[in-house]
Amino acid sequence: MNSLLEDFSIHKDKIQKPNFETRMGREFLAFYLKTKFKQIINWDKKTGQNLFLHIKDDFIEKFLNRLINEPKQRILIGITGESASGKSTICEEILKNTKRLDLPVSILSTDTYFNDISELIKKYGDFDKLRDAGYDVDAPENFQLDLMGKNLADLKNGNDILAPKYLINGTGISIPNGLPVKSNKIIVVEGMSTVFEPVKNLFDIRIYVETDNKIRKKRFIGRAKSRNQDKENAQRHWEYVLKAGEKYVQPAKNECDIIASGECDLEYFAKLLEYINLATNSFLDE
């Protein structure tokens, strides 16, 4: 990736900025981005990092046509995958580099749209007892999907939102309008429910993060303490998420535009983000 960055820095001063208000200017941008996307994909294969496990044949053309025909809409990226696949880690790395590179990116987790289940938790004693009683926490009906769809549509159209804020401390409390989210040029939304109706078709790019189950289990058990779970309860919950992932997430894999590795080296991923930033901000104003 270093040589890719170095090569780009040599040639970046030769790119004249087109008028993106015109269709011709946007078509030039699409052609330019297409060459950069292919360059990144080929580089990923060459290095053996294998961040991109699979990309749909028609994805690049469809995405670039969207940029040409609907230029004013924000770019909405949905990142899904089974529990502990690496979705949140990838988004944390995006957030870190957003601050470092001053990128116009907002990040939102769909977990914040869980229904308020605080009264149910009080009734059963705690979250683990509620789950053991048969509560299917990851089922579509346990998310505020209508509100999520409205919020995502608002973000895509350039409007800031106040999303609910779900507390992951085991209380099951959801605070209405508790999380301000800015409608930046790019909005990354992570969580398994990005593949549920009615929200899944709002995304311009849909990414499925895939990770070996042994690695996922190690991650899942390792984070139990931060979620107020002991190891025994975490093990039982792991058995639940395996079934939930198979039922609710895996069927969407073939619908996603990109299958990405959740085991990718984060330093490599950060350099890739830096290259994308350089490539998309290389135009001269004159």
Side-chain angles (χ1 to χ4, degrees), residues 260-275:
S261 172
E263 304 168 38
C264 178
D265 179 76
L266 292 180
E267 183 178 352
Y268 170 78
F269 182 65
K271 288 180 179 178
L272 191 149
L273 291 175
E274 185 175 354
Y275 174 77

Side-chain angles (χ1 to χ4, degrees), residues 41-244:
I41 293 165
N42 289 334
W43 183 260
D44 187 61
K45 291 178 181 178
K46 180 181 176 181
T47 60
Q49 293 284 348
N50 296 323
L51 171 62
F52 303 107
L53 302 178
H54 179 73
I55 298 176
K56 274 191 173 181
D57 293 337
D58 63 348
F59 159 64
I60 293 178
E61 292 293 340
K62 286 174 63 177
F63 173 64
L64 295 178
N65 282 334
R66 206 295 261 159
L67 294 185
I68 292 170
N69 296 316
E70 299 175 286
K72 294 185 178 180
Q73 287 193 342
R74 305 302 197 250
I75 298 171
L76 211 59
I77 302 173
I79 300 180
T80 193
E82 296 181 79
S83 186
S85 61
K87 304 182 299 297
S88 297
T89 300
I90 287 173
C91 286
E92 286 168 6
E93 192 66 24
I94 293 173
L95 181 60
K96 184 170 72 175
N97 285 276
T98 291
K99 294 176 180 177
R100 179 173 69 89
L101 301 171
D102 193 26
L103 304 176
V105 177
S106 294
I107 296 177
L108 175 65
S109 170
T110 63
D111 286 0
T112 201
Y113 288 89
F114 275 124
N115 289 335
D116 188 307
I117 56 172
S118 56
E119 291 303 316
L120 281 173
I121 287 177
K122 288 178 182 177
K123 177 181 177 180
Y124 284 89
D126 59 37
F127 174 82
D128 296 307
K129 291 176 182 176
L130 175 61
R131 177 207 60 221
D132 292 344
Y135 184 79
D136 190 358
V137 65
D138 288 337
E141 59 266 25
N142 293 325
F143 290 86
Q144 301 175 62
L145 291 175
D146 288 338
L147 176 60
M148 190 193 307
K150 180 181 183 304
N151 282 173
L152 294 183
D154 283 343
L155 287 170
K156 193 166 187 176
N157 288 315
N159 303 310
D160 298 345
I161 66 163
L162 287 172
K165 184 177 181 179
Y166 182 83
L167 305 184
I168 60 170
N169 58 4
T171 61
I173 293 173
S174 176
I175 304 171
N177 302 318
L179 185 65
V181 183
K182 184 175 177 59
S183 179
N184 272 312
K185 184 184 293 185
I186 299 170
I187 300 142
V188 178
V189 185
E190 70 94 1
M192 62 180 295
S193 57
T194 57
V195 298
F196 294 160
E197 295 283 6
V199 303
K200 67 177 184 178
N201 292 322
L202 291 170
F203 296 103
D204 301 296
I205 303 174
R206 291 186 287 183
I207 300 172
Y208 187 99
V209 181
E210 187 169 70
T211 302
D212 182 81
N213 277 356
K214 291 181 180 178
I215 295 174
R216 289 178 53 223
K217 182 178 181 179
K218 183 178 179 180
R219 292 173 178 173
F220 189 88
I221 301 299
R223 72 189 189 192
K225 186 176 180 180
S226 67
R227 301 193 174 197
N228 288 339
Q229 283 186 315
D230 59 34
K231 286 191 176 181
E232 182 181 346
N233 280 325
Q235 177 62 45
R236 290 206 303 274
H237 197 54
W238 167 250
E239 298 301 326
Y240 162 77
V241 300
L242 273 178
K243 295 177 182 177

